[in-house]
């Protein structure tokens, strides 16, 4: 079994764990797009490696070693993405696939050097946290733009789904991390939002897009209720 495959399973378990989902064989199979028996087979191998604890009919759990291993792969992935964007001038929509390959390299020094050159960033170009060498990262909880009410203001901090198509669309609309939105109107029919940003004219964003835009309301929040009172 190639190491790369094992590492991709570790990542999948990591993402399921951090999203708060129970890591079952079914969930893992679905996320890796393999059959249940295939997933089951791999789980036995990961358990033999000492990366996960597995009891039949119970959700999988990382061992401390397994969790660190997964975090370090994600660290390499996100450092690569940041390096490609910040140092090499790639667009944020161009870097994921390259990072998918780079994350399996064993040359730790390369990634340490990237980290240093970047000034030890804590987030990647899509706003996802970069674990440090101990696997520790700041877990920030953002709200999705779709949860902000009319009159609310919110700043874009992360994209929950960094698919090329979505990122390209955001590029076309001039939306990037740090963009400050004001919600003008929410359509009752399909929950699409009319928003204002960067002094742009009013722009309509679909609910599917708004759901994936993770924003920080705490600093810029103007609640409708508060507006009405003042
Ligand atoms: Zn990526």
């Amino acid at each position: 079994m190639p190491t790369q495959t094992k590492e991709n399973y570790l990542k999948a378990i990591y993402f399921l764990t951090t999203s708060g989902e129970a890591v079952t064989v079914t969930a893992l199979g679905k996320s890796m797009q393999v059959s249940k028996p295939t997933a089951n087979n791999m789980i036995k191998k990961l358990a033999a490696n000492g990366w996960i604890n597995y009891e039949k009919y119970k959700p999988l759990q990382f061992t401390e070693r397994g969790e660190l291993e997964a975090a370090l792969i994600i660290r390499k992935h996100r450092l690569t993405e940041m390096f490609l964007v910040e140092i090499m001038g790639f667009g944020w929509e161009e870097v994921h696939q390259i990072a998918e390959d780079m994350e399996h390299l064993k040359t730790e020094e390369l990634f340490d050097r990237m980290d240093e050159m970047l000034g030890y960033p804590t987030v990647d170009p899509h706003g996802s946290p970069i674990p440090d060498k101990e696997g520790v990262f700041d877990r920030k909880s953002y709200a999705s733009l779709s949860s902000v009410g009319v009159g609310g203001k919110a700043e874009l901090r992360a994209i929950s789904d960094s698919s090329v198509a979505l990122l390209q669309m955001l590029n076309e609309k001039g939306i990037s991390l740090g963009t400050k939105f004001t919600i003008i109107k929410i359509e009752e029919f399909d929950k699409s939002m009319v928003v204002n940003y960067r002094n742009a004219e009013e722009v309509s964003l679909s609910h599917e897009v708004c759901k994936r835009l993770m924003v920080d309301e705490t600093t810029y929040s103007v609640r409708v209720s508060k507006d009405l009172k003042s």
Side-chain angles (χ1 to χ4, degrees):
M1 181 64 56
T3 322
Q4 191 158 333
T5 312
K6 274 189 197 165
E7 291 185 348
N8 287 336
Y9 272 86
L10 278 185
K11 270 201 316 180
I13 296 170
Y14 191 89
F15 291 136
L16 286 170
T17 307
T18 49
S19 71
E21 259 182 78
V23 191
T24 59
V25 182
T26 312
L28 187 60
K30 209 171 139 199
S31 135
M32 291 300 293
Q33 295 174 310
V34 297
S35 67
K36 236 172 129 172
T38 305
N40 224 335
N41 241 328
M42 181 54 89
I43 284 161
K44 281 178 197 150
K45 286 181 183 142
L46 297 177
N49 267 23
W51 285 338
I52 54 167
N53 291 319
Y54 175 54
E55 280 177 64
K56 243 185 169 174
Y57 309 117
K58 282 194 180 163
L60 312 178
Q61 271 185 332
F62 269 130
T63 60
E64 217 171 290
R65 242 187 77 206
E67 189 168 12
L68 177 63
E69 197 71 32
L72 292 181
I73 299 161
I74 289 156
R75 169 181 161 79
K76 289 176 187 174
H77 182 107
R78 293 181 176 165
L79 274 176
T80 299
E81 290 189 336
M82 200 59 176
F83 191 84
L84 291 173
V85 169
E86 293 293 317
I87 309 287
M88 301 187 79
F90 280 85
W92 67 343
E93 77 285 6
E94 298 176 304
V95 294
H96 179 75
Q97 215 42 53
I98 304 172
E100 286 284 281
D101 290 332
M102 296 273 289
E103 69 187 18
H104 303 291
L105 293 179
K106 297 299 166 210
T107 41
E108 302 299 326
E109 202 194 339
L110 172 69
F111 298 97
D112 290 347
R113 209 61 88 75
M114 280 183 185
D115 199 14
E116 192 187 332
M117 283 179 78
L118 288 164
Y120 309 101
T122 55
V123 291
D124 77 6
H126 313 114
S128 303
I130 301 176
D132 68 14
K133 291 184 85 175
E134 273 74 52
V136 178
F137 62 92
D138 288 343
R139 193 187 302 268
K140 296 217 172 80
S141 65
Y142 298 126
S144 100
L145 185 63
S146 59
S147 69
V148 182
V150 173
K153 290 178 189 289
E155 182 173 337
L156 184 62
R157 292 306 181 96
I159 316 291
S160 70
D161 156 12
S162 47
S163 72
V164 176
L166 174 61
L167 295 173
Q168 270 170 348
M169 184 181 161
L170 296 178
N171 284 348
E172 279 160 27
K173 292 183 184 292
I175 296 171
S176 58
L177 296 189
T179 294
K180 291 169 186 161
F181 297 102
T182 305
I183 316 301
I184 310 295
K185 187 182 173 195
I186 300 171
E187 300 294 348
E188 204 185 319
F189 174 63
D190 63 356
K191 303 274 180 280
S192 62
M193 284 179 148
V194 178
V195 298
N196 196 309
Y197 55 93
R198 290 213 170 118
N199 307 318
E201 289 166 41
E202 293 174 7
V203 172
S204 175
L205 297 176
S206 73
H207 185 59
E208 287 305 311
V209 168
C210 293
K211 271 196 319 199
R212 292 167 169 81
L213 302 183
M214 307 312 290
V215 298
D216 199 342
E217 279 188 276
T218 48
T219 22
Y220 294 91
S221 175
V222 181
R223 284 279 175 202
V224 182
S225 53
K226 222 159 96 189
D227 266 5
L228 293 175
K229 271 182 227 155
S230 59

